[in-house]
Amino acid sequence: MSRIFSGIQPSGELHIGNYLGAVKNWVALQQRFESFYCIVDYHAITVEYEPALLRERTRDMAISILASGVDPERAVLFLQSAVPEHTELAWIFNTLTPLGELERQTQFKDKSSRQESIPVGLLTYPVLQAADILLYRADLVPVGEDQLQHLELSRLVARKWNARFSPEKPFFPEPKAEVTPTPRVMGLDGTAKMSKSLGNTVGLLEEPAAIWEKLKPAVTDPARVRRTDPGTPEVCNIYHLHKAFSPPETVKHVAVQCSTAGWGCIDCKKVLFESMKKELDPIRERAAEIRSNPATVDTTLRAGAEKAHAVAKETMREVKERMGFAP
Ligand code: TRP
């Protein structure tokens, strides 16, 4: 069975962009693969942060992931900081990674341009990511499109390490990206990717009334000014959300109603709202249940870390042996 690994930063409660772009796919993939899902708290400290907030957000993220349907009986869910081999392997990979490759990473260029003093950790962020994945010798990595460059670097690191220390038979597989079916969810302002820092998100656990208040004014096809103007579904963010939340027959119907001006945008949004409620209500209820029983989250994460640690230890044993470290 192929092994998959994916990571998510502990940014607090998931929004529907993270959910559709990552966690929903994790839930589907855990049926078919041996899955390792990691809350990457060491990645989260490469930008300024508050310790108390990190703790709270880590916990909220775990609750959101479990409520979304990641099943600890099938998948290993754990915190990166609970398995010290991640940073140990990252150090080793640091010695193999060309500086130029890291300076070329768009995410680094983007984040470092907004800071005066640039921490080295921001530069070596993708090296830690390579260590996350290769520690479990994962073949597949479900991610959004924005992570393709990081994945490219993970493959380069795997190739370099193999060429140097395991030339006969590659020890690390070169991990492939499995791009999620809904890779890029736009914010409700319709201009940029849904992101917490832009304040254009819909929280996964938000109350229905609050979600409706956000959907009502959401940007649709800008060319559709009057109720009688026919719209172009493909350019409308609401249509893309239908594709994520509504059943296929509804999506077809929506496209027809939009392009013939059979429905106005508000009619279309009401149908979307119903589809969203159908998917999100049970998740919100499960989250409340998990939250009311805090010990279960700790127990689940601890058990996950134990399973992850067993695999990580074995990888590091082989890595150190091949690299010439004394036993
Ligand atoms: N960089 C990823 C993101 O921001 C998070 C991440 C860290 C990750 N390690 C990973 C994703 C390993 C996949 C595999 O989304």
Side-chain angles (χ1 to χ4, degrees), residues 94 96-105 123-124:
N94 271 334
L96 291 173
T97 310
L99 178 59
E101 292 293 330
L102 295 177
E103 287 170 336
R104 278 193 324 104
Q105 299 283 318
L123 180 71
T124 58

Side-chain angles (χ1 to χ4, degrees), residues 31 58 65 86 111-112 123 127 145 158 186 194 203 208 226 230 251 262 327:
Q31 312 290 340
T58 300
I65 292 171
H86 287 250
K111 286 191 182 167
S112 59
L123 180 71
V127 180
E145 267 169 342
M186 300 291 281
M194 186 174 282
R226 279 160 310 206
V251 176

